[in-house]
């Protein structure tokens, strides 16, 4: 299980996260919502080790990982699909997937299951990442994260700028990873409707803080919507 406990993050003088707490259990989906610039990505980057927090701690599978390097956290089972996908445009699909093997158990190869989840990746193995559509790149980014065989998967706005039919595919895969593979999933989303369909728990952020959170059924939908509208 993941426990983010009361973390603070600053960029120089500017405070970005203030006393943020979040939980994610194996087999469940935690969705982080919030308007632009409230700190969602910064929170994800803190969890995966790309930002150094100032206070609080991040506990994964009972161990405080707050001081661990990102590469170590990846080897400890924390997988990450960044906002904007960040695939390598000049590497092939195969090579993009293989970049994640460094974080996988020694001697692993790209798991066949990735091609069952995303058949398009098998078909385009030799194609360059930059030549894929946005939706295909998103599938590649998720496939790359899964190559390291994570037990926690962090996805930062995986549906941003993607056509509805691929969004459906991605939602189906996220649900399967949590419900059938028992992964803990943390998902950042802009759209409450999408989040509500997938999430077990929701946290709504406002200006660097979690303003509202809890099991999805316990939340007042109108109160959530209010925090999300400009
Ligand atoms: N590397 C950085 N250096 C300085 N400020 C930053 C940095 N990264 C983010 N910020 C600032 O921190 C705040 C939170 O940014 P963050 O990207 O975490 O928000 P977000 O909720 O993910 O936004 P979006 O919905 O647009 O993706 C913003 O004011 C942003 O300008
Ligand atoms: Mg963001």
């Amino acid at each position: 299980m993941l426990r983010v406990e009361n973390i603070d993050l600053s960029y120089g003088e500017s405070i970005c996260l203030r006393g943020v707490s979040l939980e994610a259990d194996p087999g469940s989906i935690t969705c982080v919502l919030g308007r632009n610039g409230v700190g969602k990505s910064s929170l994800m980057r803190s969890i995966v080790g790309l930002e150094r927090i100032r206070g609080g701690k991040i506990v994964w599978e009972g161990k405080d990982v707050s001081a661990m390097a990102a590469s170590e956290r990846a080897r400890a089972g924390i997988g990450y699909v960044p906002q904007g996908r960040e695939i390598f445009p000049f590497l092939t699909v195969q090579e993009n997937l293989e970049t994640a093997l460094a974080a996988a158990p020694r001697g692993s190869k790209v798991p066949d299951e990735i091609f069952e989840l995303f058949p398009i990746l098998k078909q385009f193995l030799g194609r360059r990442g930059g030549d894929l559509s946005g939706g295909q790149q998103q599938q590649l980014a998720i496939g790359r994260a899964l190559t390291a065989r994570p037990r926690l998967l962090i996805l930062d706005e995986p549906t941003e700028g993607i056509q509805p039919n691929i969004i459906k595919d991605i939602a189906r895969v996220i649900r399967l990873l949590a419900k059938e593979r028992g992964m803990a999933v943390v998902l950042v989303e802009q759209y409450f409707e999408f989040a509500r369909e997938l999430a077990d728990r929701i946290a709504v952020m406002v200006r660097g803080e979690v303003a509202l959170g809890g099991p999805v059924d316990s939340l007042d939908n109108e109160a959530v919507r209010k925090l999300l509208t400009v």
Side-chain angles (χ1 to χ4, degrees), residues 40-41 83 156-157:
K40 304 180 297 296
S41 296
Q83 185 169 14
D156 194 346
E157 298 206 30

Side-chain angles (χ1 to χ4, degrees), residues 95-126:
E95 289 163 344
N96 265 281
L97 294 170
E98 285 171 352
T99 59
L101 288 175
R106 204 175 280 274
S108 322
K109 56 184 200 65
V110 176
D112 285 334
E113 194 195 4
I114 288 168
F115 304 116
E116 288 158 27
L117 297 174
F118 301 119
I120 195 78
L121 297 181
K122 178 135 199 141
Q123 197 183 324
F124 287 168
L125 265 183

